Every structure is written in C-alpha cells, then in structure tokens.
Amino acid sequence: MAEAAAPAPKRGFIRTAVIAIVVGILALIIFGGSFYTIDQGERGVILRYGAVVGTAEPGLGFKLPMIDTVVKISVQSRAKVYDNVNTYSRDQQPANITISVNYRLPADQVDKIYAEYGGEEGIVNRLIDRRLFEQLKNVFGRFNAVTAIQDRAKLNAETEDAIRKFIVGPVVIESVQIENIDFSDAYEQSIENRMLAEVEVQKLQQNAEREKVQAQITVTQANARADAVRAEAEANAAATRLAGDAEADAIRAKGAALRDNPSLINLTAAEKWNGALPSTMVPGSALPFIGVK
C-alpha cells in the first residue's frame, strides 16, 4: 500500500511544471506584445479593439498587449503599371496603352486611409484604378491616332493633369507616364505605307528640285556663252567700224590734199619713176614726160 501512494508527489510536480510553462508562455506573449517598431518609410495606425485610437511614428513604441494592434502603412513612393488599357482615339482607332503612375500616401493621413479605405490597397482599387482608366480614355478620345503619336508629350501632360484633378482623396499623384501606345496591326501597316509614300514623294520632289537647279545652271551657262559670243561679235564689229572710219578719213585727207595741191600728182609720179623709159609703147601713144620749170 505504501508503494502505491508514491506517485502523488510526481504528479504534482508535473502539474506545477505545466503551469509554470503556460505562465511563462503567457508572460512572453504579453511582454512581446507590449511593444512595436515602425520603419522610417512607414507610419502606424493604433487600433484598440478594432477602433482607431492614434498613429505611430517611426521607431520603438509600446502598446497594451492583446488589446492594442498596430497596422503599418507605407508612406514611400510607389509605382504601378497598367498594361493593355483598351481605348479608342477620336478617329475610332482602337489602341492598347501601357501607362504607369507614381504615387504616395501622405504620412499625416494614415489614420484616415485606414478608417475609410482599409489601407493602401483600398486607395489603389477605389481611387487610382477607377479614375485613371476613366480619365485616360477621356483624354485619349480627344486625340486622333496620328496626333496621339506626334504630340505624345501633350497627350501625356493632359492625361496627368486630368488624373491629378479627378483623384481626390488621401493620396498624392507624383507623376503619370504613358509608356507605350499599340494600335492594331492593320492601322500600323497603313501608317507604314503612308510614310513610305511620303518618303517617295519627298524623293521625287528632291529630284525635281535637283533637275530644276541643273536646268537653271544649264540656262545660265548658255546665256553666259551667248553673252560672250555677242560681246566678241560686237568687239569685232566695232574694230571693223573703227578701221573703216580710219581708212575713210585717210582717203578724204588724200583727196583734200590732191585738190588743194594739183602738182602733187606729178611730184608723186616723179618720186616713183626710176628714170627708164617704157620698153614697149602702144602705137600712136605719147611719151611720158615730166615738165620741169
């Protein structure tokens, strides 16, 4: 009988040990749940039985264990990319647009963000997504397909302005960027064909201009040659005219001299006579003589 009563102290020890372990675990849970840490890029929302009772700044903080809860919300800049947003241009050309938006949640409104939207995901789903799709389609619908490509900067600026204006709430839109515009294959092929046609037209215009310039050069050269020939002819004619005028003046001078001096003819003949009589005479002709006074 004495041997049967021996295990009672052992059972008591086990029970005490279990209680001690449970108490230790509870103490650890209570101790561990009495403080929290917030990173620099975050803010905390303190909840007490699910109700917002305050916010927490970065660093170490303390709370009531098993009563208070801290929800962390990032206040750093975030980026979200939206692929293949279906829309239509003003000339009814379908397009798939890739657009990205950079945003951040204001640090001083994290309690409102949690209370009204449940956190960052609610802000994105209920504010950014809906307004971004709506305003992108509205703005893109004011552009033709060609102007959407040619005035890409204007399209991007107007889209960003519209999104900033219509997204009203505890979120800051930092930038919006249209990254790609993808039209249908048929439309892109028509654009390529039109560009090729424009290039061909420009090439023909350049050739025409080149031929026009070449023709002008040829005309200029021909005019220059004609001017040269005309100048040469005029110079020759002037020289001939001057020579004729000089010869006429000489003849007139000789005639005047003979008229004023009749004996000049005999003098000239005497000067040119070599003193010999003619070797042949025409029958009945008179001998030439020189009258000497």
Side-chain angles (χ1 to χ4, degrees):
M1 296 295 293
E3 293 179 358
K10 187 175 182 181
R11 286 196 300 270
F13 174 78
I14 293 174
R15 185 166 51 250
T16 302
V18 170
I19 293 173
I21 292 173
V22 171
V23 171
I25 293 173
L26 290 175
L28 288 174
I29 292 175
I30 292 172
F31 178 76
S34 63
F35 65 90
Y36 59 87
T37 57
I38 303 295
D39 291 338
Q40 186 62 44
E42 298 175 332
R43 295 296 184 272
V45 178
I46 302 175
L47 306 176
R48 184 165 295 166
Y49 299 116
V52 177
V53 294
T55 59
E57 296 294 320
L60 179 64
F62 296 92
K63 62 183 180 64
L64 296 177
M66 295 183 296
I67 296 177
D68 292 345
T69 305
V70 178
V71 178
K72 299 177 181 180
I73 297 178
S74 174
V75 294
Q76 293 178 325
S77 295
R78 300 293 186 96
K80 185 173 182 180
V81 179
Y82 299 85
D83 290 319
N84 297 324
V85 181
N86 262 333
T87 185
Y88 285 85
S89 62
R90 188 171 63 181
D91 52 351
Q92 298 301 310
Q93 293 297 332
N96 291 325
I97 297 178
T98 299
I99 184 172
S100 63
V101 56
N102 292 329
Y103 68 92
R104 64 177 176 83
L105 304 182
D108 58 347
Q109 298 186 54
V110 291
D111 52 346
K112 181 180 180 180
I113 292 170
Y114 183 83
E116 297 184 6
Y117 298 93
E120 180 181 352
E121 185 176 355
I123 289 287
V124 172
N125 294 337
R126 293 167 56 187
L127 281 183
I128 298 179
D129 290 354
R130 288 170 50 191
R131 298 298 185 187
L132 183 139
F133 293 149
E134 176 184 351
Q135 296 308 314
L136 173 60
K137 292 181 179 182
N138 288 342
V139 174
F140 192 77
R142 298 199 295 263
F143 287 77
N144 290 329
V146 174
T147 57
I149 300 299
Q150 294 177 344
D151 298 333
R152 182 77 167 268
K154 181 180 179 181
L155 171 63
N156 197 93
E158 291 188 9
T159 302
E160 182 172 341
D161 290 342
I163 291 173
R164 288 179 184 273
K165 179 180 179 180
F166 286 93
I167 294 182
V168 179
V171 61
V172 177
I173 302 299
E174 295 182 330
S175 65
V176 175
Q177 183 65 43
I178 295 177
E179 299 184 1
N180 185 50
I181 302 175
D182 186 17
F183 290 101
S184 64
D185 293 341
Y187 180 75
E188 291 182 352
Q189 184 62 47
S190 68
I191 292 294
E192 182 178 355
N193 292 339
R194 184 170 62 185
M195 294 300 294
L196 292 175
E198 290 179 357
V199 169
E200 185 65 24
V201 170
Q202 292 176 358
K203 183 178 178 180
L204 293 175
Q205 289 176 343
Q206 291 175 353
N207 290 339
E209 289 295 328
R210 184 171 58 252
E211 291 176 358
K212 180 179 179 181
V213 172
Q214 186 62 43
Q216 290 175 346
I217 292 174
T218 302
V219 170
T220 302
Q221 291 175 345
N223 290 336
R225 287 195 295 270
D227 291 342
V229 171
R230 183 165 52 251
E232 183 179 0
E234 290 176 353
N236 291 335
T240 302
R241 186 169 57 253
L242 290 175
D245 292 344
E247 185 175 357
D249 290 342
I251 292 173
R252 283 194 295 272
K254 288 180 180 179
L258 291 175
R259 185 177 61 252
D260 295 339
N261 301 284
S263 60
L264 184 59
I265 297 175
N266 293 330
L267 177 60
T268 302
E271 288 177 350
K272 292 183 177 181
W273 185 43
N274 57 7
L277 293 175
S279 58
T280 59
M281 296 290 293
V282 177
S285 63
L287 291 172
F289 66 92
I290 298 175
V292 180
K293 292 184 180 181

